[in-house]
Amino acid sequence: MLLAAAMLFAAAAGGVALLSGYGWPDPVPAAIDADDPVQVALGRRLYGEWCAGCHGANLEGQPNWRSRRPDGRLPAPPHDASGHTWHHADGMLFRITRDGTSAVVGGDYETDMPGFGGVLSDTEIRATLAFIKSTWSERERGVQERQSRLEREAAR
């Protein structure tokens, strides 16, 4: 009963619970624009400052990023076409960057990826993601945009 009331309240307030196992999402950020030169330039600078140390200056990720290290954690994945970042919708990428992978994936998933919500503003996170997206080919950007569109439709 309490859960049904909470879901009704969330729906009335414009929120939607995704049944994908990721919990109660925030509104999907709409302003991640890989074609906006100002946003991409800011994102390039922020990526260099906050992300390149782990994900590589050229978005190449860490070696053997698909194989767990002895501590059980996965190395930082690439954000270029060889990785899987472009398989995820904008909202998912935003939440992973803001809250950290463990907070989004849940459970006992261990990762070195922190949440940057206490360090970067939402605008800066969107800019960083815009930079990353700006490096993808038309194919990767198309796949990623379809994922984002599906995410937006599910949130309605």
Side-chain angles (χ1 to χ4, degrees):
M1 178 71 172
L2 184 57
L3 178 59
M7 290 177 69
L8 181 59
F9 174 78
V16 175
L18 289 181
L19 302 177
S20 61
Y22 295 114
W24 298 88
D26 296 318
V28 176
I32 300 174
D33 187 356
D35 294 318
D36 177 345
V38 173
Q39 193 176 47
V40 170
L42 173 60
R44 181 186 329 273
R45 181 180 63 76
L46 292 166
Y47 179 89
E49 184 176 343
W50 295 101
C51 311
C54 294
H55 292 281
N58 297 311
L59 295 88
E60 72 274 14
Q62 294 175 334
N64 301 313
W65 63 275
R66 289 186 173 124
S67 300
R68 293 198 181 276
R69 301 183 313 224
D71 66 2
R73 296 175 180 220
L74 289 168
H79 291 311
D80 62 13
S82 70
H84 57 79
T85 307
W86 55 276
H87 295 126
H88 300 296
D90 284 349
M92 175 65 68
L93 295 175
F94 179 84
R95 287 186 296 275
I96 287 171
T97 307
R98 184 191 62 197
D99 303 329
T101 306
S102 296
V104 175
V105 174
D108 59 356
Y109 185 84
E110 291 190 36
T111 178
D112 291 332
M113 175 67 181
F116 286 91
V119 178
L120 299 175
S121 69
D122 289 358
T123 298
E124 290 172 322
I125 292 170
R126 288 181 185 107
T128 303
L129 293 170
F131 163 67
I132 291 169
K133 289 170 60 165
S134 77
T135 67
W136 298 337
S137 74
E138 214 173 289
R139 177 183 170 272
E140 285 93 27
R141 286 175 75 173
V143 168
Q144 198 273 333
E145 176 51 38
R146 282 190 293 282
Q147 292 300 318
S148 296
R149 188 173 43 253
L150 290 171
E151 181 183 61
R152 287 190 301 272
E153 290 170 3
R156 288 186 200 158

